[in-house]
Amino acid sequence: MKPLRAAAYGTFYRLPIGVRRWLVRRAVPKYIVGAVCLVRDSDAGGERLLLLRQPPGRGWSLPAGLLERREAPIVGAARELHEESGVRLRPEDLRPAVPNAIVHARGWVDVVFEASVPASTTVFKVDGAEVYEAAWHRLDDLPQLTRATAKLLAYYGIGPLADQPGPWAALER
C-alpha cells in the first residue's frame, strides 16, 4: 500500500499547478479551504519552526491539508498535523494565528493555527509517501521553501518574502 500511495502522491505533485488545482476543484465544490499549522519549538523560545519536505521534494512546507466536509478548521489542522508529522495535539492546544484566514487568488482559503511544542520530547513520524521528512528549522536560517509556503509565512513576518511588498504588507498599516 505504501509504494502505491507514494507513487500516487509523486504523480500528483509532478502535475502542473493548474492541473492540480483543476483536479482538487473537481473534488471540492466552489472553493477550497485548507488548514495550516505553524508549530514552533518551545525549547528554542519559538525560534525554530516545524517544516516538512513533501513530494516532489523541491522545497519545504508547513503541515497543512484540505478540510474534510463539515470539518471545523481547528479540528482539520490538528488532524493534518498528526497525519503528516506524527505530532498529536488536541484542537484546543492550537490557537488561531493572526491573521487567522489567508484568502488566496482563485478561491483558495487557508485557516492558520499556531502551537508550541518542545522539540526535546517531540517525535516525528512520517509515512515516506505524502511526507518525506519532518524537521525543525531556525527562523533565521530556513531551508528552501515552496513558493506557497514562503508567501504564507510572509504574512507572519517570517521567511525570505517577509520584507518584500505583497498583500501581507497591508496588514501592517
Side-chain angles (χ1 to χ4, degrees), residues 8-149:
Y9 275 110
T11 300
F12 179 77
Y13 284 107
R14 283 187 189 88
L15 295 172
I17 188 78
V19 173
R20 292 193 322 237
R21 284 189 180 134
W22 183 85
L23 288 170
V24 170
R25 285 205 176 103
R26 298 297 79 57
V28 180
K30 309 252 185 206
Y31 59 91
I32 300 166
V33 180
V36 181
C37 288
L38 296 172
V39 181
R40 295 176 187 253
D41 173 10
S42 60
D43 290 341
E47 293 300 311
R48 292 195 318 165
L49 187 65
L50 169 60
L51 294 173
L52 309 174
R53 193 171 60 81
Q54 298 178 281
R58 295 186 190 104
W60 290 76
S61 59
L62 295 164
L66 297 177
L67 295 180
E68 296 175 358
R69 292 192 190 279
R70 296 186 234 353
E71 182 177 40
I74 199 164
V75 172
R79 176 184 52 76
E80 286 292 340
L81 176 63
H82 181 254
E83 286 176 4
E84 294 185 344
S85 70
V87 176
R88 185 182 297 276
L89 294 177
R90 299 171 302 157
E92 52 270 19
D93 295 330
L94 300 173
R95 60 192 176 280
V98 177
N100 183 228
I102 307 295
V103 179
H104 305 282
R106 299 185 180 126
W108 191 285
V109 178
D110 280 323
V111 184
V112 185
F113 297 91
E114 295 181 300
S116 294
V117 299
S120 59
T121 59
T122 300
V123 177
F124 298 131
K125 181 179 176 189
V126 299
D127 64 8
E130 183 180 4
V131 177
Y132 294 149
E133 183 179 1
W136 296 106
H137 294 276
R138 291 195 52 78
L139 295 178
D140 61 1
D141 189 27
L142 293 174
Q144 178 183 343
L145 301 171
T146 64
R147 182 78 176 152
T149 298

